[in-house]
Amino acid sequence: QVQLVESGGGLVQPGGSARLSCAASGSIYMIYDMGWYRQVPGKQRELVALISRGGNTDYSDSMKGRFTISRDDAKNTVLQMNSLKPEDTAVYFCYADLSESMLSRGDYWGKGTLVTVSS
C-alpha cells in the first residue's frame, strides 16, 4: 500500500516560517510529480507548489517568493514556508502523481497536516 506521510505542521506567528516534509513509501515504480495542496473548511482545495521528476517547479502566484519546494530524494519533498500570513492557515496535503507498476498511474494524497498562523 502506497502512503504519503506529512510532518511539520503546527502553530506559527505571522511573519514566521515553517517547514513541511512529505515521505512516500510502499510499492512505487515511479513518481512523476510531488507537491502540496491546501484547504480551508468550506473552500476548494488549491495548489501550493509542485516539483517534477526533473526538478521543475510550479507555484501558485500568491505563494511565489515566500514558499520554496525542493526534493530530498526520489520519494521525499520539502516545503519551506516563509513570511507566513494568517490567510495561510489551512490543512496542507501532500500529493503525488505516481505509478505502482509500468501500467498503472494515479493521484495519491496524504492525510494532511494543519498549519495555523496566528499571534
Side-chain angles (χ1 to χ4, degrees):
Q1 181 72 24
V2 174
Q3 288 188 310
L4 304 178
V5 180
E6 305 100 334
S7 63
L11 178 63
V12 185
Q13 291 188 339
S17 299
R19 186 178 178 90
L20 305 182
S21 298
C22 177
S25 63
S27 181
I28 300 173
Y29 175 71
M30 182 177 293
I31 299 178
Y32 302 93
D33 299 284
M34 291 191 73
W36 299 86
Y37 288 72
R38 70 184 185 186
Q39 189 168 26
V40 176
K43 296 184 179 180
Q44 190 172 345
R45 187 173 298 186
E46 65 174 343
L47 170 70
V48 176
L50 292 174
I51 185 166
S52 72
R53 181 177 50 163
N56 296 319
T57 58
D58 186 24
Y59 297 93
S60 171
D61 288 341
S62 65
M63 300 157 205
K64 289 181 179 179
R66 299 191 300 124
F67 293 4
T68 303
I69 190 169
S70 61
R71 185 189 296 268
D72 285 344
D73 53 44
K75 296 183 178 180
N76 297 279
T77 187
V78 172
L79 181 69
Q80 178 67 45
M81 304 188 293
N82 299 321
S83 302
L84 286 165
K85 307 172 182 178
E87 51 263 43
D88 293 319
T89 297
V91 176
Y92 286 73
F93 295 90
C94 183
Y95 162 84
D97 172 14
L98 61 82
S99 297
E100 294 189 64
S101 71
M102 295 180 63
L103 300 178
S104 65
R105 181 172 178 175
D107 297 335
Y108 292 81
W109 298 90
K111 293 182 179 180
T113 184
L114 177 64
V115 176
T116 302
V117 184
S118 177
S119 60

